[in-house]
Amino acid sequence: MSTVPFVIAVHGGAGTISPEQANEAPYHEGLQAALRAGAAVLEAGGSALDAVQAAVQSLEDCPLFNAGCGAVYTADATHEMDASVMDGSNLKAGAVAGVHGVRNPVALARAVMDHTNHVLLVGEGAVRLAQEQGVPMADAAYFHSEERLAQLQRVRAQGAGVMALDHSAKTLTEKPTPIREDGKHGTVGAVALDQHGNVAAAVSTGGLTNKRPGRVGDSPIVGAGIYANNATCAIACTGTGEHFLRACVGHDIHARMAYKGESLEQAGEAVVHGLLKDIGGSGGLVSVDAKGHVHMPFNSVGMYRGVMRQGEAPQSFIFR
């Protein structure tokens, strides 16, 4: 059986810190570690689905990013995490929303896909599945961060109803004047093409700092924050989730390729710099098509992102 060269791409959130702010090196290290984790699966002949899960789990285990142990605080000073996975070879998907105490939410999303007849489980029902399937749990101390708590307090000080996209120089707010929050973290995601020609995607997030408990963004929603189909591409999004939901970003890119014959780059540019931007959305995505082309567009200041191809070293980027 013939094989194709594998490729994997990851993101750690769009928006980013300003170029003159903070040390970039740890973020590059985190992104490249995730790329190597996914590439190790692909190098061994593993599936794109297993690879993106491995890459996202690596990012969930890195406190620099808003997922897993780096998840931000809700308005109640708790953690509610969302995650999803999708297999482009059969359109199977699994997702969880509003979960707490789960060390790697992306592993729980995979359990929903593999061990239930459902696509999306939320809250306590999802946590119960984690316990039934032996998905690793962690106590509240594992998710606690003084920096994250201080971040919540800074956002709260801006007034009631304000929420910060912690990974962005821009913010999502119910008030007309946006605040600036010096976020250094972001939603995480991965896409891959394996040696068998299959694509897959995975996404995980802690959501918005000071979000209303129960809020769910685009990350666990198939067709919005994630999509994968061997006929076209795999996509993992990051940014202002409400806008990505309204624009159905993941499926729109797929549809443009499937029905209009657009390339991965044409479709991604049209959505990220067109429809998404037109409705006020900020963010970006990583994507790969069935031929191994990678496109990582964003309309924000920057996006933590990286790519690794078979036989090559990992590459990571933050700004343009």
Side-chain angles (χ1 to χ4, degrees):
M1 181 178 177
S2 61
T3 61
V4 298
F6 71 72
V7 60
I8 183 168
V10 301
H11 75 67
T16 81
I17 53 178
S18 58
E20 67 275 7
Q21 198 177 11
N23 178 15
E24 295 178 21
Y27 301 98
H28 287 291
E29 292 171 6
L31 291 167
Q32 293 185 20
L35 288 167
R36 286 191 292 269
V41 174
L42 297 169
E43 188 71 56
S47 70
L49 183 62
D50 287 342
V52 294
Q53 181 181 341
V56 167
Q57 286 189 194
S58 176
L59 292 166
E60 288 176 333
D61 291 341
C62 177
L64 294 173
F65 302 102
N66 177 18
C69 70
V72 299
Y73 283 94
T74 70
D76 286 350
T78 58
H79 297 95
E80 292 184 359
M81 300 170 286
D82 310 329
S84 59
V85 296
M86 189 165 183
D87 186 343
S89 70
N90 52 25
L91 303 191
K92 287 185 177 181
V96 293
V99 300
H100 60 87
V102 180
R103 188 181 182 97
N104 293 108
V106 73
L108 181 53
R110 178 68 181 274
V112 173
M113 173 197 282
D114 290 346
H115 301 294
T116 78
N117 294 320
H118 310 306
V119 170
L120 174 62
L121 289 180
V122 304
E124 293 302 326
V127 173
R128 192 180 311 153
L129 178 69
Q131 294 164 342
E132 292 171 0
Q133 295 298 325
V135 176
M137 305 294 287
D139 59 23
Y142 175 76
F143 299 98
H144 172 72
S145 163
E146 289 298 328
E147 181 183 7
R148 288 300 200 190
L149 199 55
Q151 187 176 22
L152 172 64
Q153 292 164 349
R154 288 196 301 272
V155 176
R156 279 176 170 173
Q158 302 293 326
V162 175
M163 295 172 290
L165 281 169
D166 71 292
H167 53 272
S168 176
K170 299 183 72 175
T171 60
L172 179 66
T173 173
E174 295 173 4
K175 296 187 176 183
T177 304
I179 62 169
R180 185 178 180 90
E181 170 63 20
D182 55 336
K184 305 174 184 176
H185 314 262
T187 303
V188 306
V191 295
L193 170 71
D194 64 31
Q195 296 184 66
H196 312 291
N198 298 315
V199 299
V203 179
S204 183
T205 185
L208 301 172
T209 297
N210 201 37
K211 67 182 180 181
R212 181 186 294 272
R215 177 265 185 187
V216 178
D218 65 306
S219 295
I221 307 302
V222 173
I226 189 171
Y227 198 72
N229 188 323
N230 276 9
T232 54
C233 61
I235 298 162
C237 301
T238 174
T240 52
E242 279 71 9
H243 297 94
F244 279 74
L245 280 165
R246 289 160 53 196
C248 301
V249 168
H251 191 270
D252 193 18
I253 292 174
H254 154 76
R256 287 172 177 271
M257 295 176 68
Y259 308 137
K260 293 186 68 178
E262 291 183 353
S263 68
L264 182 70
E265 184 171 358
Q266 288 172 330
E269 291 293 314
V271 174
V272 172
H273 294 286
L275 173 61
L276 183 65
K277 196 170 184 179
D278 290 345
I279 64 173
S282 174
L285 55 91
V286 292
S287 58
V288 62
D289 68 15
K291 296 181 180 178
H293 299 123
V294 171
H295 187 44
M296 302 185 287
F298 55 94
N299 63 23
S300 47
V301 176
M303 182 170 71
Y304 296 105
R305 64 203 187 279
V307 61
M308 185 173 180
R309 295 183 177 277
Q310 187 167 354
E312 298 180 8
Q315 293 180 292
S316 57
F317 316 91
I318 298 178
F319 305 104
R320 295 194 182 277

